[in-house]
Amino acid sequence: DQQVKQNSPSLSVQEGRISILNCDYTNSMFDYFLWYKKYPAEGPTFLISISSIKDKNEDGRFTVFLNKSAKHLSLHIVPSQPGDSAVYFCAASGLNAGNNRKLIWGLGTSLAVNP
Amino acid sequence: ETGVTQTPRHLVMGMTNKKSLKCEQHLGHNAMYWYKQSAKKPLELMFVYNFKEQTENNSVPSRFSPECPNSSHLFLHLHTLQPEDSALYLCASSQVGDRGYTFGSGTRLTVV
């Protein structure tokens, strides 16, 4: 059973417009959420994160929103640029029964920003 | 060199071969991880090493054998793999307890 779900495998957006990538989670013990970006033939790179005590975190063109009651988070990219074309992974972090921190990943959403 | 470096970038091996993947981090981190990325599956955590000690093995078949000689180096020894083991193998590092990891570029493994 997937604890972190990215239901849209792909998304296509026009350059300059907003890209919205969505992520849902099931485990209320998650207390930290991260977005990673991955280009082909490279490893994922950290993009932005948010603690469960916040509902918004902004870094330049990237904003992550967290709705704890809905167990939903989203990544907004404004304005979208062709260089943003990549796979975006949502990840959730929480302590397991052994008090070890675990990172659980979604399947990723492939974003294509068209010029 | 900075960050997390993985070698080789690509590897093709037969089912009877023995090969090793190497990971090196220059970030001063004390935790290292092996992940497997297969098509249409989430990133799968394979092994975790904290302070050179293995703390997690997520039911990985014994044909995958990790080795962590020190906090900066991590190996994945491969023996008698199956074609379904073909995937991107990613190494990552962090400080123990950190919420996010730094990844290497991965080794694209093809088993023929």
Side-chain angles (χ1 to χ4, degrees), chain A residues 3-4 25-33 52 92-94 104:
Chain A
Q3 297 186 61
V4 176
Y25 62 96
T26 57
N27 191 337
S28 55
M29 296 302 292
F30 291 140
D31 60 3
Y32 200 78
F33 303 88
S52 60
S93 175
I104 308 296

Side-chain angles (χ1 to χ4, degrees), chain A residues 46-59:
Chain A
F46 172 74
L47 188 59
I48 193 169
S49 62
I50 188 166
S51 165
S52 60
I53 62 172
K54 295 190 173 183
D55 54 19
K56 177 182 173 182
N57 187 26
E58 191 172 350
D59 183 2

